[in-house]
Amino acid sequence: GTGYYWRKFADGRAEIFARVSLLIGERKDVVFPVKLANIIYFSHSLSGDYLGANAYVCRAGAITNAGFSITWDVWQANTGVNNKMSVNYHAILV
């Protein structure tokens, strides 16, 4: 696939590493490229070329075996909004 890496283990677990692009302040639903029964681990971080001030905290929520949603908490409206960032995530599913 494009934009992700995954591998399946002999015990049935699958591990996914991926990156999705979005704009600061934008809500985005992300679909895992591989869907299994249960998610047992999930982490995410931001990266990107935008180095200016931003007053948003990226949150991953609604995490299921099919994907998750990105939302933002804001403490100063419009600071950094609409600048391109990437969310890197790592998930382990069984």
Side-chain angles (χ1 to χ4, degrees), residues 40-54:
I40 58 173
Y41 174 82
F42 180 86
S43 68
H44 76 290
S45 64
L46 282 176
S47 65
D49 295 332
Y50 176 68
L51 300 176
N54 99 60

Side-chain angles (χ1 to χ4, degrees), residues 10 20 25 29-30 33-34 38 40-41 56 64 66:
V20 293
D29 294 324
V30 179
V34 176
N38 295 302
I40 58 173
Y41 174 82
Y56 290 79
T64 70

Side-chain angles (χ1 to χ4, degrees), residues 2-87:
T2 303
Y4 67 91
Y5 169 80
W6 76 281
R7 61 184 168 186
K8 190 167 184 179
F9 298 94
D11 65 3
R13 290 179 299 135
E15 183 173 39
I16 303 168
F17 298 92
R19 176 179 297 151
V20 293
S21 296
L22 71 160
L23 301 177
I24 293 175
E26 171 188 32
R27 183 184 188 284
K28 186 164 190 163
D29 294 324
V30 179
V31 177
F32 291 140
V34 176
K35 181 181 175 183
L36 295 173
N38 295 302
I39 186 163
I40 58 173
Y41 174 82
F42 180 86
S43 68
H44 76 290
S45 64
L46 282 176
S47 65
D49 295 332
Y50 176 68
L51 300 176
N54 99 60
Y56 290 79
V57 176
C58 180
R59 304 262 186 220
I63 302 168
T64 70
N65 66 324
F68 62 99
S69 294
I70 294 293
T71 58
W72 302 84
D73 286 346
V74 61
W75 66 87
Q76 184 177 346
N78 299 320
T79 302
V81 72
N82 295 325
N83 284 286
K84 187 174 180 181
M85 294 296 285
S86 294
V87 173

